Amino acid sequence: MLFRQLEYLVALSRERHFTRAAEACHVSQPALSEAIRKLEIELDLPLIVRGRKFEGLTPEGEQIVRWARRIVADQQALKHEAAALRSGVAGTVRLGAVPTASATVADLTGPLCQKHPLVTVNLAEDLPSGEITSRIDRFELDGGITYLDDDIESRFRTFPLYREYYDLLVSVDSSAMDAKDTPGDSITWREASSLPLCALPSMMRGRRILDEFFAYDGATHTPRVETDSIASLYAHVKTGHWAAVVPRVWRHVFGEPPGLRCLPLASELEAPVIGLITARSSQGSALIRALEETAIGLEQQSSASPIER
C-alpha cells in the first residue's frame, strides 16, 4: 500500500468527482483512478460505486476513508513536528469560524502569526457550527471558532475565548431610538421584536440562540431578510428600513457607522461562550499545540468581552 493511494481516496471522498480530485492531487485522472483500483485489489474490498461517473463510496469505502483521513492527517502532523524541530513551528493552520465570531478571529490569528513567523492561516468564515465540527472530524480543518455548547465540549478540546453579548443595531431615525433618552440606553428583546428585522438563517446556531433570547422575554420574531453575513446585516440596517441583533464584539470592527446606533439588549439569560475547538482524538502537531496555546493566552486578554468567572 502506498501513501499516495490513501491521499487520492481522501481527495475523491472530499471532491466527489474524479477530475477535481486528480487536480487537487496534481495528477492525471487516469493515474488517480488506477491507484485507487490497485488499493481495492490490495484490500480486497470495493471502495467506489462505479458507473459512468463517480457515484459515491461503498459502505466499505466509507469505513476505509475514515482510516485514510486519520493516516493522512497524522502524516501532516509528523511533517509539522519535524519542521518545528528544525526551525520552529511552521505550516498552515486551517480554521473555520461561525459568522458571529468573524470579528474576533484576528485576536487569535494575529498573536499566533506574530509569535510564529513561519505559520500561515487559511480561514473559512461564515460556516454553520455543524459544518465546522464535521470538517474537523474529517481532518479538513485544524480548528474552529464556534459556540461551546455541551455537546461540543464532550466531543472536542475546547478553549473559551469570550461571552457573546448582543446589541440591537438600528438607524438613527428608527422608532426604537425615539423611545431612548440616551444612545446608551438598553432595550428589551420584546421591544426589539416589534421592529422589522433581518437576521442569520434559522439553520445557524447563532440564530437559534437569538430565538431563545426572544422566547425567554415572551416574544417571537420573523425576519423578512436572512443572510449568513454580519456585514450584510449592517448593510441592510444602513438602508433605514431594518434593524438587526448583532454580537457586541462587532463594535470593535465597525464601531457605530454614521447613521447607525447600537442599543444594548438586556436579558437575564446567560450569554453563550465562543471558543476555539480542536479534535479531541488528535495527538496534536506542534502547529495545533501553538494554536491552542495562543487561545489559552487570549482567554483573559481578548479585545472582546472576557469570560466571566
Side-chain angles (χ1 to χ4, degrees):
M1 182 186 304
L2 299 177
F3 181 79
R4 68 169 180 271
Q5 292 172 303
L6 301 180
E7 286 186 308
Y8 296 168
L9 181 63
V10 169
L12 183 58
S13 173
R14 181 182 66 248
E15 301 295 337
R16 317 297 292 181
H17 191 278
F18 280 105
T19 301
R20 290 198 299 269
E23 291 173 350
C25 295
H26 307 290
V27 297
S28 68
Q29 188 268 320
L32 180 136
S33 297
E34 179 63 13
I36 292 178
R37 188 187 69 81
K38 289 182 178 178
L39 179 62
E40 289 179 307
I41 292 173
E42 183 173 353
L43 296 176
D44 193 22
L45 286 172
L47 304 178
I48 308 297
V49 178
R50 283 185 161 75
R52 300 184 64 180
K53 60 181 181 179
F54 179 76
E55 296 181 6
L57 300 177
T58 64
E60 297 86 351
E62 293 287 357
Q63 294 270 9
I64 295 300
V65 81
R66 284 196 282 271
W67 281 97
R69 290 188 187 118
R70 182 179 298 278
I71 293 169
V72 170
D74 285 344
Q75 188 254 10
Q76 288 297 319
L78 175 60
K79 287 183 177 180
H80 291 152
E81 197 73 29
L85 292 172
R86 289 195 307 270
S87 54
V89 179
T92 298
V93 173
R94 301 164 300 170
L95 276 179
V98 294
T100 54
S102 295
T104 62
V105 173
D107 291 338
L108 179 64
T109 58
L112 173 68
C113 293
Q114 286 180 345
K115 185 175 181 180
H116 305 286
L118 300 180
V119 169
T120 58
V121 177
N122 184 297
L123 179 62
E125 297 183 280
D126 298 343
L127 297 179
S129 181
E131 178 67 14
I132 290 174
T133 56
S134 294
R135 290 194 190 185
I136 292 176
D137 286 339
R138 297 196 301 265
F139 302 99
E140 294 172 6
L141 288 177
D142 300 307
I145 302 177
T146 185
Y147 297 94
L148 301 189
D149 297 330
D150 291 342
D151 66 316
I152 292 289
E153 293 189 330
S154 67
R155 295 168 51 202
F156 298 90
R157 289 168 56 81
T158 59
F159 304 86
L161 296 175
Y162 63 95
R163 287 194 182 275
E164 185 175 84
Y165 299 98
Y166 302 102
D167 290 337
L168 180 69
L169 184 68
V170 297
S171 61
V172 292
D173 56 355
S174 166
S175 59
M177 287 297 299
D178 296 339
K180 302 303 161 188
D181 294 330
T182 66
D185 283 351
S186 63
I187 188 171
T188 69
W189 290 81
R190 180 186 290 273
E191 290 173 322
S193 69
S194 66
L195 299 173
L197 294 171
C198 47
L200 297 173
S202 57
M203 63 173 288
M204 289 192 161
R205 180 69 182 116
R207 164 65 182 282
R208 296 197 297 273
I209 289 173
L210 298 190
D211 291 345
E212 293 168 7
F213 273 81
F214 277 111
Y216 187 82
D217 206 15
T220 59
H221 71 127
T222 307
R224 294 177 59 193
V225 176
E226 293 187 346
T227 173
D228 60 6
S229 166
I230 299 294
S232 182
L233 293 179
Y234 270 78
H236 278 82
V237 176
K238 183 73 173 176
T239 67
H241 301 299
W242 313 96
V245 176
V246 296
R248 194 165 298 164
V249 294
W250 280 83
R251 286 196 198 181
H252 296 283
V253 177
F254 293 140
E256 287 188 335
L260 299 182
R261 290 292 181 271
C262 293
L263 303 176
L265 278 158
S267 178
E268 296 178 359
L269 277 181
E270 188 174 57
V273 176
I274 293 280
L276 170 72
I277 65 172
T278 57
R280 183 177 291 277
S281 60
S282 172
Q283 294 182 358
S285 66
L287 189 60
I288 295 179
R289 290 199 303 273
L291 177 67
E292 294 174 344
E293 289 166 2
T294 303
I296 292 171
L298 286 175
E299 183 176 339
Q300 295 297 330
Q301 304 172 18
S302 173
S303 65
S305 303
I307 291 290
E308 295 178 347
R309 295 295 184 182

